[in-house]
Amino acid sequence: MEVKIEPSWKKALQKEFDEEYFKELAEFVRSEYKETTVYPPAKFIFHAFDLTPFDKVKVVILGQDPYHGPNQANGLAFAVNKGIRLPPSLQNIYKEIETDLSKKPSSMSGDLENWAKQGVLMLNATLTVRAHLAGSHQNKGWEKFTDAVIKVLSDQKEHLVFILWGNYAQKKGSMIDESKHLIIKSAHPSPFSAHSGFFGSKPFSQANAYLIFNNEEPIDW
């Protein structure tokens, strides 16, 4: 099956693209884009992979669904397009960067491309969503695909940092090999839970300390 995705990811995930579930998922997604408004724009479905090749991944941040409002979703978990007001979770992420690292975030834009280009894979569990219908593309096959992404990273790479915010991400990351990778867990940065363990969790300094220890360049958060 021909899927337009960055070449190193295409090689790592070719088995998934040949599976029947993925063919059914692709058919469903194609029909949704034809019949209704779906986010992100089709060219950005695999944006996270295109900006962060398999060989360059250092950190993985797991999200759940793309944003379902106009001009928000751009294919990167927690990110929004340039010029769009920062969503509450991202505002809290930036607050934690400031207290954790004693500096402002490297960019106040919400698009997070600067992280992606440094090796931060911002992976949503579900890569598409109908406009204004949160969760509308769940249980169609995306979760199985993104589980395979996590597994191939865990199995084939070493010394990655997996940042798992909230119960959903922590369950999804259950197959990560903790003997080879650093797993950072805390509450979700959403306003509903940020004060229950996200603020003060210091994920950014922990990630960088681990990368430096393993002779990798730290991330300029």
Side-chain angles (χ1 to χ4, degrees):
M1 181 174 174
E2 191 60 32
V3 175
K4 290 182 179 174
I5 191 171
E6 190 278 330
S8 65
W9 279 110
K10 189 162 194 174
K11 183 179 175 185
L13 297 169
Q14 188 57 58
K15 177 177 168 290
E16 298 307 308
F17 300 139
D18 293 335
E19 293 277 346
E20 194 58 37
Y21 87 86
F22 192 88
K23 293 172 185 175
E24 291 172 8
L25 168 64
E27 192 54 44
F28 166 76
V29 170
R30 269 195 292 268
S31 68
E32 286 283 281
Y33 274 94
K34 279 181 191 169
E35 293 167 15
T36 187
T37 302
V38 177
Y39 298 125
K43 66 181 180 180
F44 288 138
I45 292 174
F46 294 118
H47 197 42
F49 301 89
D50 294 334
L51 287 177
T52 313
F54 182 78
D55 308 331
K56 304 291 186 188
V57 177
K58 297 178 183 177
V59 179
V60 181
I61 297 178
L62 288 187
Q64 190 165 357
D65 249 22
Y67 296 115
H68 53 82
N71 301 315
Q72 289 184 300
N74 64 8
L76 306 180
F78 294 99
V80 289
N81 285 316
K82 278 182 180 161
I84 300 296
R85 185 174 179 274
L86 300 185
S89 289
L90 189 52
Q91 290 181 39
N92 287 338
I93 288 167
Y94 281 0
K95 285 177 188 172
E96 179 62 16
I97 287 173
E98 200 163 343
T99 55
D100 182 9
L101 302 177
S102 301
K103 73 175 194 72
K104 296 270 188 192
S106 59
S107 167
M108 292 308 291
S109 164
D111 74 351
L112 302 184
E113 277 198 17
N114 60 320
W115 293 3
K117 288 174 180 175
Q118 294 177 76
V120 183
L121 179 70
M122 281 159 285
L123 179 67
N124 275 321
T126 304
L127 301 189
T128 54
V129 67
R130 271 195 187 194
H132 312 300
L133 281 173
S136 49
H137 285 188
Q138 290 177 5
N139 303 313
K140 302 294 185 184
W142 276 132
E143 294 91 342
K144 187 172 180 180
F145 174 73
T146 51
D147 280 351
V149 172
I150 295 165
K151 188 166 191 328
V152 77
L153 284 167
S154 177
D155 290 352
Q156 295 188 21
K157 294 179 75 76
E158 291 187 344
H159 310 312
L160 298 182
V161 180
F162 289 87
I163 299 178
L164 310 179
W165 289 324
N167 291 333
Y168 183 90
Q170 287 162 30
K171 284 179 190 165
K172 190 167 179 69
S174 60
M175 83 281 281
I176 300 164
D177 185 345
E178 295 193 51
S179 69
K180 293 167 60 182
H181 308 288
L182 175 65
I183 301 176
I184 298 172
K185 300 178 183 178
S186 79
H188 195 277
S190 151
F192 301 107
S193 54
H195 289 282
S196 303
F198 173 74
F199 287 133
S201 62
K202 301 186 180 296
F204 308 103
S205 58
Q206 285 187 68
N208 278 354
Y210 183 80
L211 292 172
I212 291 166
F213 182 79
N214 287 290
N215 301 310
E216 291 281 2
E217 278 289 315
I219 306 299
D220 181 7
W221 300 104

